C-alpha cells in the first residue's frame, strides 16, 4: 500500500512547484487587483484610502474614455489577429514547398517574432517618421502622396499604423504553428485526392483546412489573448496618443494606474478588461467547439 501511495503522490509532488509558482505569480496579483478595485486608493492621497465597494465599477460605466478604449480594443483585436492569421497562413504554405533556400527562409521568418517589442516600436516609428521615414519617401516617389503624412500624429491613421507594425511582428507565430501542422498531414491523402481528380483548391478545403483545424483554433485563441494584452508597441510608438486615439483598455488601465497613481480605479479597469476578455474567449471556444463537432 505504501508503494502505491507513493506512486499516486508522485505526479502531485512533481507538479507542485509549477502550481505554487502559478499561484504566487498569477493568481495572487489577480486577487490583489480585485481587492484593490474595491477601494479608493490614490497614491498621493494616502489618508484618503477607503473601502467604496463597487463605486469604481459604476464610475467605469460613465467613463467615456473607457468606452472609446473598448471600441479601439475591438478594432485592435478584430484587425490584427485575422491579418496575422492570413499572412501567416500564406507564409506557411510557401515555406512548406521545396526550394533550395527553404531552411534559411524558415530561419529568417522568425526575426520579427524574435525582436523585442521596444525595438519593433522604435523601428516602425522611424519608418513612419514624416521627415526621414522610408514609407513617406516611397509613397511620394510613387506619386501616391504629394506631401509627407504624419502617420502616428494623425488620429485617423495612428491606430492602423500601429496595427500594421503588430501584424508584421506577430505573423511568424501563425506561420510556424501552421507550418508545423502542415508537416503532420499525411502526404498519401493528397496523392489519393490527386488520383481521384481533385483540384488544388479541393485538396485545400478537404484535406489541408480540416487537418489544421486544431492548430488554428489554439493559435487564434493564444493570439487573441496576447494581442488584447499587448500595449508595449503602442506605448513606444505613440504613448497612447495623439490624445486618446491609440488607447486600448490595457494601456488605459496602465496609464490610469501609474500616471494618475489611481490604483483603485486602475485595478477596476484591469479587472473589467479581464472579464471582457474571458467572456470573449469563452464565446470563441464554444462557437469553435460547436463548429468542430
Amino acid at each position: 500500500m505504501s508503494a502505491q501511495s507513493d506512486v499516486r503522490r508522485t505526479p502531485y509532488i512533481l507538479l507542485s512547484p509549477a502550481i505554487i509558482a502559478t499561484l504566487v505569480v498569477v493568481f495572487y496579483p489577480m486577487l490583489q487587483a480585485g481587492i484593490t478595485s474595491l477601494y479608493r486608493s490614490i497614491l498621493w492621497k494616502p489618508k484618503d484610502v477607503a473601502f467604496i465597494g463597487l463605486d469604481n465599477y459604476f464610475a467605469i460605466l460613465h467613463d467615456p474614455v473607457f468606452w472609446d478604449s473598448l471600441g479601439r480594443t475591438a478594432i485592435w483585436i478584430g484587425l490584427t489577429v485575422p491579418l496575422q492569421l492570413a499572412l501567416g497562413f500564406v507564409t506557411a504554405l510557401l515555406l512548406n514547398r521545396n526550394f533550395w533556400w527553404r531552411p534559411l527562409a524558415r530561419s529568417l521568418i522568425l526575426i520579427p517574432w524574435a525582436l523585442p517589442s521596444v525595438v519593433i516600436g522604435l523601428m516602425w516609428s522611424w519608418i513612419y517618421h514624416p521627415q526621414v521615414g522610408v514609407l513617406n519617401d516611397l509613397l511620394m516617389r510613387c506619386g501616391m502622396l504629394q506631401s509627407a503624412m504624419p502617420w502616428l500624429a494623425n488620429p485617423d491613421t495612428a491606430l492602423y499604423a500601429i496595427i500594421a507594425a503588430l501584424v508584421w511582428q506577430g505573423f511568424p507565430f501563425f506561420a510556424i504553428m501552421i507550418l508545423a501542422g502542415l508537416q503532420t498531414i499525411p502526404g498519401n491523402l493528397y496523392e489519393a485526392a490527386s488520383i481521384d481528380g481533385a483540384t488544388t483548391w479541393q485538396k485545400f478545403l478537404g484535406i489541408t483546412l480540416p487537418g489544421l483545424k486544431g492548430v488554428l483554433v489554439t493559435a487564434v485563441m493564444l493570439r487573441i489573448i496576447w494581442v488584447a494584452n499587448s500595449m508595449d508597441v503602442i506605448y513606444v510608438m505613440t504613448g497612447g496618443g495623439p490624445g486618446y486615439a491609440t488607447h486600448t483598455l490595457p494601456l488605459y488601465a496602465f496609464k490610469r494606474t501609474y500616471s494618475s497613481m489611481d490604483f483603485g480605479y486602475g485595478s477596476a479597469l484591469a479587472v473589467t478588461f479581464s472579464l471582457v476578455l474571458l467572456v470573449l474567449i469563452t464565446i470563441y471556444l464554444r462557437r469553435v467547439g460547436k463548429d468542430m463537432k
Side-chain angles (χ1 to χ4, degrees), residues 126-140:
W126 279 106
I127 291 175
Y128 290 130
H129 197 282
Q131 275 78 46
V132 297
V134 66
L135 179 61
N136 278 314
D137 181 66
L138 181 62
L139 292 177
M140 285 190 292

Side-chain angles (χ1 to χ4, degrees), residues 200-214:
T200 301
W201 181 245
Q202 289 172 332
K203 294 177 189 176
F204 178 77
L205 293 179
I207 300 174
T208 304
L209 279 183
L212 293 174
K213 186 169 289 187

Side-chain angles (χ1 to χ4, degrees), residues 188-203:
N188 56 5
L189 295 178
Y190 293 101
E191 295 175 2
S194 298
I195 294 173
D196 292 337
T199 64
T200 301
W201 181 245
Q202 289 172 332
K203 294 177 189 176

Side-chain angles (χ1 to χ4, degrees), residues 64 192 244 250 293:
Y244 292 104
K293 291 180 181 179

Side-chain angles (χ1 to χ4, degrees), residues 165-187:
L166 198 67
V167 168
W168 181 81
Q169 181 194 27
F171 86 91
F173 170 78
F174 277 113
I176 297 302
M177 291 285 286
I178 295 171
L179 180 61
L182 290 172
Q183 302 294 311
T184 64
I185 300 176

Side-chain angles (χ1 to χ4, degrees), residues 77 81 220-228 277 280-281 284:
I77 299 172
V81 175
V220 170
M221 181 189 68
L222 291 175
R223 286 310 295 168
I224 289 175
I225 296 172
W226 292 342
V227 169
L277 184 59
L280 175 63
I281 293 299
Y284 166 76

